[in-house]
Amino acid sequence: MFRLTLDSLLARKFRLLSTTLSITIGVAFLTGSFLLIDTMGRAFDDLLSDVNQGIDAEVRSSEVIETGFGDIRGRIDASVVDVVSEVEGVEAVEGVVVGYAQLVDTDGEAMGNPGQGAPTLGFAWTDIDELNPMDLVDGTAPLAPTDVVIDRASAKNGPFSVGDDITVLTQAGPQTFVVSGIATFGAADSPLGASIAIFEPETAQRLLGEPGRYDMIDIVAAEGVSQSELRDRVAAVAPAGTEVITGEELIAESQNDIAEALSFFNTFMLIFSGIALFVAAFIIYNTFSILVAQRTRELALLRSLGARKRQVLLSVLGEAVVVGLVASLIGIAAGAGVAVMLQRLLGVIGLELPTDGLVFQPATVVWSLVVGVGMTAVSALAPSRRSAAVAPMEAIRSAAVERTGLSLSRLAASLILLGGGIAVLGWGLFGEPSSTALIIGIGAVGVFLGVAALAPIVATPFADVVGRPIAWLRGVPGELARENAMRNPRRTATTAAALMIGVGLVATISIFAASATASINKIIDDAIIGDLVIDSGTFGFGGLSPELATRLNEVPEVEAASGVRLGFADIDGEAQTVYGIDAETSGRIIDVGVVAGSTESMGVDNLAVFDEYAAEQGWSLGDTVEVMFAETGAQELTIAAIYQRDELAGNVFIGNSAFEANYPSVFDFQVYVLGADGFTTTEVRSAVEAVAADYANAEVQDLSEYKQGQADQINQLLSFVYALLFLAIIIALIGIANTLALSVLERTHELGLLRAIGMTRRQLRSSIRWESVLIALLGTALGAVIGVFFGWAIVEALRDDGFSELRFPVGQLLIAVVLAAIAGVVAATLPARRAARMNVLGAVAAE
């Protein structure tokens, strides 16, 4: 039976070629994702190890706010440096200053994209070699307050040379420096695409942090002193509110933080790999189902010659395993190309990864093989079981019999599967499971499988109704296409199901994006009273200097300008995003729907709270709330206002005086501007742009442009998702072509008779193409229905998070239908050409 299995594979190698290709594509994407994930992980691990390799111990604040963006810690007093330097076993000690500093190129444009790409960082220069990861390749270290050292990548992109003037954006506003030196990070021009500005220590404290305070203190041990010994000695004299860790602990902690931060991206990539393989599973199932139906007499003959059911099952299943193994091995090899493509795509958005090779872990090969072969075997299991059930008497039939009906038991099982999928999906979206993404994924798979199982019920009437206009327009070829699509509804439905998945997800994302854009537009219309928005392109790290809003409030054409700031704090043991606004001017520009109290009188000891959050916590106007800040510790703030719109202000916000008292580094990530009476919109904008011109990262937009900017960000992500889903759609189209090709082989005798009685090659090609169009339209229709349901469910689940508008992009969905029809024609090209070229006499003689 083993030899028979190999002979059967060799005899049908071309029939299985497209199935192999489908598996190969899916495994290639999975392997590429694994390679990219491992490469990114290794790159960041090596970066953090290189940055911190000379540190034997570090002193830092013990006050920490754990957020989704990493840990936020307070600064420590510079006097700790003197205390630590007296400890026995300390060779060298240096206070560290790090913060936001964005370079401006020679064209006056801000360099880098800190909001979506690699960070734009500023540091204090150190002459301690063990603590300085940068190597000067030209010029000198920064010695004067006007000096700066920049990374070589920025020097090339600027372009800048030693001695050139350069503008740097900081919290103190735009500053002009002289490039005293150009440095590399080891052998790299910059660390993973980040731009670097390095100042002399006092200047760094003034521009990036606070005079007299450091972000942390790094220590080098004397020879013969271990890191743990050094840590314990320093900890014995370190002041309260600080903690000491070893360099090894610092590296491990940093690497774990990066791994956690990358986990979302890793999951994102693996989800799309799973989608591609899920689509391929339908093709595998369909291919082996057709092959089993075509080999009914052959399998029955084996049974009549004494082959047991188990042997027949293992023979067919063995074919699937061999196909899966070969395809997976090819996919693993092709995965390197996919990883390079994804790596370059990340480079486009500013995240440069090392180009000296991919990280190829043994686990990548193992998991790719397990998933590829396992998925193929599982997908072919049901057809294999049907092959074992072939009765010996089938060997004497003149034709294979394929049962296409849907029994009551299968109908009940399909309904249960669909209902279970909907229930699990609803739990993931509206409940609070421990692993939301996993539950949603399981529910979505259940819905797709349930619809695919029920699809044969609608396949026949769909082909009948939709095929009638085709038959009327195309005559005999159209009628044959319609009848062939109706002939085997289970086969038609399974083939369409592969395309259904891709179309369904595209429709879901399109509805989500349209709804998100409409919801954002409504928020802007309802909440922003002002005329202009100045955006920094950042969110949470860096941004616009507060002096911009101050200067704008002095312009006659401006009634009020209010910056919005962002920080983090612990409230009731939970990390919260804390917004900062100008209490005096913000009420004239944005509307947060104050229902109790007033924001105008908010002082250094006040905060405002979203009404639903206040109700959850049991707070009322005038209550005192303990807020834990990383820099200033626990602070008692009194609720001065309660509001009902959280879209622009989150759960809590404080005034500028309170923000500056608790967050020494202050940036506005946006500034809202209201024009003064008596000036036209054009005059207001011109005056604002004249001031904003000094800030290279300030983009002045009216509300329409601001809305479009938000939509563009959504569409940018949407384009990336569409590109990944396009892979699944390509696999689905391969499945349609594969089914049609097998169908042509199955109907050789029938097609030969049609040619013999006068059907032309053109008519035959047309018939097969229109059959493909019907299959593609069925998959598109099922996908659109599922997409509408998924889109509605997701928007409803996010209604409390600001998704108040549900939109169905009818135009995009209609375009999907047209593209599906075109794709159906493309998928049928090769099968149709092969059918038209067959030898008529040989086809008539075939059985």
Side-chain angles (χ1 to χ4, degrees), residues 480-610:
L480 284 175
R482 172 174 164 271
E483 291 179 356
N484 286 330
M486 295 169 58
R487 177 187 298 181
N488 293 307
R490 185 179 300 170
R491 181 185 304 180
T492 299
T494 305
T495 306
L499 183 60
M500 169 192 72
I501 298 169
V503 172
L505 293 174
V506 167
T508 300
I509 294 169
S510 298
I511 293 169
F512 173 80
S515 300
T517 300
S519 299
I520 291 172
N521 289 345
K522 188 174 188 303
I523 292 171
I524 294 172
D525 290 335
D526 293 346
I528 300 180
I529 307 170
D531 302 305
L532 301 172
V533 176
I534 305 176
D535 190 47
S536 67
T538 63
F539 189 80
F541 181 74
L544 301 166
S545 170
E547 73 172 18
L548 174 58
T550 301
R551 289 178 58 187
L552 288 173
N553 278 312
E554 298 171 354
V555 174
E557 291 87 348
V558 173
E559 173 68 22
S562 179
V564 180
R565 302 162 184 183
L566 179 67
F568 297 94
D570 262 350
I571 301 178
D572 196 29
E574 183 179 1
Q576 292 287 339
T577 301
V578 178
Y579 289 85
I581 66 168
D582 186 339
E584 295 181 2
T585 62
S586 63
R588 288 177 281 171
I589 308 175
I590 59 175
D591 179 15
V592 295
V594 175
V595 293
S598 172
T599 62
E600 294 182 2
S601 59
M602 288 174 58
V604 69
D605 297 323
N606 296 125
L607 81 163
V609 184
F610 177 48

Side-chain angles (χ1 to χ4, degrees), residues 335-350:
V338 174
V340 171
M341 178 188 68
L342 294 172
Q343 189 177 37
R344 290 178 178 175
L345 183 61
L346 289 175
V348 171
I349 64 175

Side-chain angles (χ1 to χ4, degrees), residues 358-718:
L358 297 171
V359 177
F360 220 119
Q361 301 279 10
T364 297
V365 178
V366 173
W367 277 111
S368 297
L369 284 174
V370 168
V371 172
V373 176
M375 181 207 64
T376 307
V378 170
S379 302
L381 182 60
S384 300
R385 293 181 62 185
R386 283 201 295 273
S387 71
V390 173
M393 288 299 294
E394 296 286 348
I396 64 174
R397 296 184 185 271
S398 60
V401 177
E402 183 181 0
R403 298 174 179 86
T404 59
L406 194 64
S407 65
L408 289 177
S409 60
R410 284 179 58 89
L411 177 61
S414 301
L415 290 172
I416 291 173
L417 180 60
L418 177 60
I422 293 174
V424 173
L425 180 67
W427 178 37
L429 290 173
F430 298 97
E432 296 182 358
S434 57
S435 181
T436 303
L438 177 62
I439 296 301
I440 291 175
I442 293 173
V445 169
V447 171
F448 277 123
L449 290 176
V451 173
L454 292 170
I457 297 176
V458 301
T460 298
F462 181 90
D464 184 17
V465 174
V466 178
R468 287 184 184 277
I470 297 175
W472 180 75
L473 288 171
R474 302 301 300 168
V476 173
E479 182 62 32
L480 284 175
R482 172 174 164 271
E483 291 179 356
N484 286 330
M486 295 169 58
R487 177 187 298 181
N488 293 307
R490 185 179 300 170
R491 181 185 304 180
T492 299
T494 305
T495 306
L499 183 60
M500 169 192 72
I501 298 169
V503 172
L505 293 174
V506 167
T508 300
I509 294 169
S510 298
I511 293 169
F512 173 80
S515 300
T517 300
S519 299
I520 291 172
N521 289 345
K522 188 174 188 303
I523 292 171
I524 294 172
D525 290 335
D526 293 346
I528 300 180
I529 307 170
D531 302 305
L532 301 172
V533 176
I534 305 176
D535 190 47
S536 67
T538 63
F539 189 80
F541 181 74
L544 301 166
S545 170
E547 73 172 18
L548 174 58
T550 301
R551 289 178 58 187
L552 288 173
N553 278 312
E554 298 171 354
V555 174
E557 291 87 348
V558 173
E559 173 68 22
S562 179
V564 180
R565 302 162 184 183
L566 179 67
F568 297 94
D570 262 350
I571 301 178
D572 196 29
E574 183 179 1
Q576 292 287 339
T577 301
V578 178
Y579 289 85
I581 66 168
D582 186 339
E584 295 181 2
T585 62
S586 63
R588 288 177 281 171
I589 308 175
I590 59 175
D591 179 15
V592 295
V594 175
V595 293
S598 172
T599 62
E600 294 182 2
S601 59
M602 288 174 58
V604 69
D605 297 323
N606 296 125
L607 81 163
V609 184
F610 177 48
D611 59 354
E612 293 183 10
Y613 182 61
E616 290 175 7
Q617 301 295 324
W619 297 336
S620 302
L621 190 68
D623 286 353
T624 299
V625 178
E626 183 178 272
V627 182
M628 178 68 70
F629 297 97
E631 188 72 26
T632 58
Q635 301 293 321
E636 300 288 337
L637 302 183
T638 302
I639 298 176
I642 296 178
Y643 56 93
Q644 60 183 2
R645 302 183 63 101
D646 65 334
E647 298 93 342
L648 298 179
N651 281 337
V652 295
F653 68 83
I654 56 181
N656 281 352
S657 58
F659 197 95
E660 291 163 6
N662 295 286
Y663 298 99
S665 296
V666 179
F667 295 91
D668 292 333
F669 71 88
Q670 287 180 337
V671 176
Y672 299 109
V673 180
L674 175 66
D677 292 337
F679 294 95
T680 66
T681 303
T682 303
E683 290 173 333
V684 173
R685 180 163 188 162
S686 296
V688 170
E689 288 178 338
V691 176
D694 294 335
Y695 306 82
N697 60 339
E699 182 179 4
V700 181
Q701 302 170 319
D702 60 29
L703 297 189
S704 296
E705 292 169 334
Y706 181 57
K707 291 178 187 177
Q708 186 59 49
Q710 302 303 303
D712 289 343
Q713 292 183 28
I714 295 174
N715 291 334
Q716 184 179 15
L717 176 61
L718 203 63

Side-chain angles (χ1 to χ4, degrees), residues 4-172:
L4 182 65
T5 299
L6 294 180
D7 290 341
S8 178
L9 276 171
L10 293 174
R12 297 174 175 84
K13 53 183 177 294
F14 291 108
R15 301 188 190 190
L16 293 169
L17 182 61
S18 57
T19 301
T20 304
L21 181 59
S22 301
I23 304 167
T24 297
I25 294 174
V27 172
F29 196 82
L30 177 66
T31 302
S33 298
F34 279 137
L35 290 174
L36 182 64
I37 289 168
D38 291 338
T39 300
M40 289 180 64
R42 177 71 62 82
F44 280 108
D45 284 350
D46 291 347
L47 171 68
L48 294 168
S49 179
D50 291 343
V51 168
N52 300 307
Q53 65 177 345
I55 301 173
D56 292 310
E58 182 175 273
V59 183
R60 64 189 186 185
S61 171
S62 58
E63 297 289 348
V64 57
I65 308 297
E66 297 180 357
T67 74
F69 301 94
D71 292 348
I72 308 296
R73 294 182 182 273
R75 295 190 175 100
I76 54 181
D77 195 82
S79 61
V80 179
V81 171
D82 296 330
V83 174
V84 171
S85 63
E86 298 297 326
V87 174
E88 182 180 357
V90 172
E91 177 70 21
V93 59
E94 186 77 86
V96 178
V97 179
V98 59
Y100 164 82
Q102 190 167 8
L103 306 177
V104 179
D105 65 21
T106 54
D107 293 327
E109 299 292 332
M111 300 178 66
N113 185 7
Q116 299 179 17
T120 54
L121 300 172
F123 293 104
W125 180 267
T126 176
D127 290 321
I128 303 173
D129 291 339
E130 295 90 339
L131 302 179
N132 191 348
M134 306 298 291
D135 296 322
L136 277 171
V137 294
D138 192 11
T140 63
L143 302 176
T146 56
D147 289 345
V148 65
V149 170
I150 64 175
D151 62 282
R152 186 157 64 180
S154 297
K156 291 178 180 178
N157 296 331
F160 294 103
S161 301
V162 171
D164 289 348
D165 288 342
I166 185 173
T167 299
V168 184
L169 305 175
T170 68
Q171 64 178 339

Side-chain angles (χ1 to χ4, degrees), residues 737 741 825-836:
V825 173
V826 174
T829 300
L830 290 179
R833 183 178 301 173
R834 181 174 183 178

Side-chain angles (χ1 to χ4, degrees), residues 229-243:
E229 289 176 332
L230 182 65
R231 175 197 59 198
D232 294 341
R233 293 177 186 178
V234 174
V237 300
T242 63
E243 63 183 23

